[in-house]
């Protein structure tokens, strides 16, 4: 599924933050994949996280926006380039769609600088959850439109959850 030794982009397609960049660790796009992305009017270089990449500091809040632009690009490439390509090939396929949201936004969210509320459930984190929910729906809609919905398994996983904890006193919410 993920052949880490295949670095040409011809048999394994990798679309990630480094797509389209001339970096030693980036895997090039196969010419037909690149052409299909261009045909959509999209850049062949993945957008960066923009304002969503600012993690802030102890004295400066982090992000107040979800990772919408980058996620939209990834979703559009998956739904309008890769899934139709897999459908046309007529073979079984495995596609890993790793979403930076809500995790990346929650790590960097700046809604609660030096305070407990709203914590991890602030408006920025909620926007990130809505963002990834919309992305998943677009993927599901594309599978259905392509007639792949009945033969495709979707597995959703997460690496961890988030919580806001204060351990400043024996009476804090976390201590209780």
């Amino acid at each position: 599924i993920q052949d880490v030794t295949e670095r040409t982009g011809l048999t394994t397609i990798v679309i990630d933050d480094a797509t389209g960049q001339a970096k030693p660790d980036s895997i090039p796009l196969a010419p037909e994949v690149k052409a299909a992305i261009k045909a959509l009017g999209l850049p062949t270089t993945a957008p960066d996280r923009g304002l969503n990449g600012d993690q802030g500091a102890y004295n400066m809040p982090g992000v107040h926006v979800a990772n919408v632009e980058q996620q939209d690009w990834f979703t559009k490439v998956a739904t309008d380039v890769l899934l139709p390509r897999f459908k046309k090939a007529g073979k079984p396929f495995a596609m890993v769609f790793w979403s930076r949201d809500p995790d990346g936004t929650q790590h960097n969210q700046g809604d609660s600088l030096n305070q407990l509320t709203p914590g991890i459930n602030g408006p920025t984190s909620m926007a990130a959850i809505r963002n990834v929910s919309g992305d998943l729906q677009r993927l599901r809609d594309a599978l259905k439109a392509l007639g792949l919905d009945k033969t495709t398994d979707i597995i959703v996983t997460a690496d961890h959850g988030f919580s806001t904890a204060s351990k400043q006193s024996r009476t804090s919410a976390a201590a209780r």
Side-chain angles (χ1 to χ4, degrees), residues 33-43 73 75-82:
V33 173
K34 194 173 192 175
I37 292 171
K38 280 184 179 179
L40 289 175
L42 294 175
W73 186 88
T75 304
K76 189 83 170 152
V77 169
T79 59
D80 293 5
V81 174
L82 301 180

Side-chain angles (χ1 to χ4, degrees), residues 90 108 124 128:
N108 293 344
T124 304

Side-chain angles (χ1 to χ4, degrees), residues 2-88:
Q2 294 177 315
D3 181 357
V4 297
T5 65
E6 205 294 299
R7 311 296 293 172
T8 67
L10 298 176
T11 61
T12 297
I13 302 168
V14 176
I15 307 285
D16 63 8
D17 291 6
T19 294
Q21 298 177 20
K23 292 183 174 181
D25 61 341
S26 64
I27 297 173
L29 293 172
E32 61 273 13
V33 173
K34 194 173 192 175
I37 292 171
K38 280 184 179 179
L40 289 175
L42 294 175
T44 56
T45 300
D48 65 22
R49 291 174 66 184
L51 294 175
N52 182 263
D54 184 9
Q55 58 189 323
Y58 75 94
N59 61 346
M60 183 177 65
V63 304
H64 288 100
V65 295
N67 189 29
V68 175
E69 182 184 354
Q70 187 184 61
Q71 287 291 129
D72 280 353
W73 186 88
F74 287 139
T75 304
K76 189 83 170 152
V77 169
T79 59
D80 293 5
V81 174
L82 301 180
L83 289 175
R85 177 184 171 92
F86 297 151
K87 167 75 175 183
K88 185 178 177 183

Side-chain angles (χ1 to χ4, degrees), residues 39-173:
L40 289 175
L42 294 175
T44 56
T45 300
D48 65 22
R49 291 174 66 184
L51 294 175
N52 182 263
D54 184 9
Q55 58 189 323
Y58 75 94
N59 61 346
M60 183 177 65
V63 304
H64 288 100
V65 295
N67 189 29
V68 175
E69 182 184 354
Q70 187 184 61
Q71 287 291 129
D72 280 353
W73 186 88
F74 287 139
T75 304
K76 189 83 170 152
V77 169
T79 59
D80 293 5
V81 174
L82 301 180
L83 289 175
R85 177 184 171 92
F86 297 151
K87 167 75 175 183
K88 185 178 177 183
K91 298 177 183 176
F93 66 90
M95 181 174 83
V96 176
F97 186 93
W98 182 84
S99 176
R100 189 177 299 281
D101 263 346
D103 182 72
T105 296
Q106 287 177 315
H107 274 289
N108 293 344
Q109 66 89 15
D111 294 335
S112 302
L113 181 64
N114 298 321
Q115 40 184 57
L116 288 175
T117 56
I120 201 59
N121 294 317
T124 304
S125 294
M126 294 296 107
I129 292 168
R130 282 189 303 278
N131 187 38
V132 73
S133 179
D135 292 342
L136 178 58
Q137 188 60 55
R138 283 186 285 283
L139 288 163
R140 294 180 69 202
D141 290 346
L143 288 168
K144 187 171 186 174
L146 291 165
L148 295 170
D149 57 317
K150 303 284 191 252
T151 59
T152 302
D153 294 325
I154 298 174
I155 302 166
V156 178
T157 66
D159 60 344
H160 60 86
F162 276 87
S163 65
T164 302
S166 170
K167 301 176 186 175
Q168 297 174 353
S169 73
R170 291 177 187 254
T171 59
S172 72

